[in-house]
Amino acid sequence: MSTTLLLILDLAGIAVFASTGALVGVRKELDVFGVAVLAVMTGLGGGVLRDLLIGSVPPAALEDWRYLVVPFVTSLVVFAFHPTFGRRERGIMLLDAVGLALFCVTGAVTAEEAGLNVLSSSALGMLTGIGGGMMRDIASGRVPVVFRGELYATPAFAGALVASVVHHEGWSQWWYIVAFGTCLVWRVLALKRGWSAPLPPGTAHV
């Protein structure tokens, strides 16, 4: 995958995730600084964790000013126009699914290019997709989405696995669309049909 395309996809995913973080901050009635912190954390958290784990320091988010400006500007836009964003909850959830699909692909490719094997790259691709959201939820006092039974991490891992295989085998870049679609379609179907991960039997009585 070309460096320019990877950068564009990364920034697009950051903007999408930052908007969800900012919206959570607004709903928690945080001030503009708190909203910006949640937005930046959500947008960059997964990528920073990935870079630290593959030994890419300082993380790309701290080397390229665009990685900081995009989530910060996004947070200000959401803060100023939050009623509009709030009325489009379903749209925000769809954008979140798009961001998840983007990040699991770019995260997996970045890990592959760092020399990791397919399985490890898939795991880091998943982490890139879910890491920022986990940080956002913990910082805002919510149980992370990935722990609430929602099918979130599983679609991310599936998309990352496809992307890792595509990169490892040197297939055409068009196959990355399949990786992106694998995660996106699975996540959207889970949202629309209420699919969730199985829980241990009898937990209600524990």
Side-chain angles (χ1 to χ4, degrees), residues 35-110:
V35 170
V37 167
L38 273 188
V40 172
M41 184 184 298
T42 310
L44 302 180
V48 169
L49 286 175
R50 176 203 63 216
D51 287 349
L52 291 176
L53 288 172
I54 63 177
S56 178
V57 290
L62 300 181
E63 286 191 307
D64 191 329
W65 60 271
R66 290 169 291 191
Y67 280 86
L68 291 173
V69 169
V70 166
F72 180 72
V73 171
T74 300
S75 72
L76 296 182
V77 172
V78 174
F79 186 85
F81 302 103
H82 66 86
T84 301
F85 283 88
R87 288 193 298 269
R88 289 167 172 77
E89 180 70 23
R90 293 180 65 85
I92 295 294
M93 293 300 293
L94 179 59
L95 285 177
D96 183 79
V98 172
L100 181 68
L102 285 172
F103 268 23
C104 75
V105 172
T106 59
V109 171
T110 301

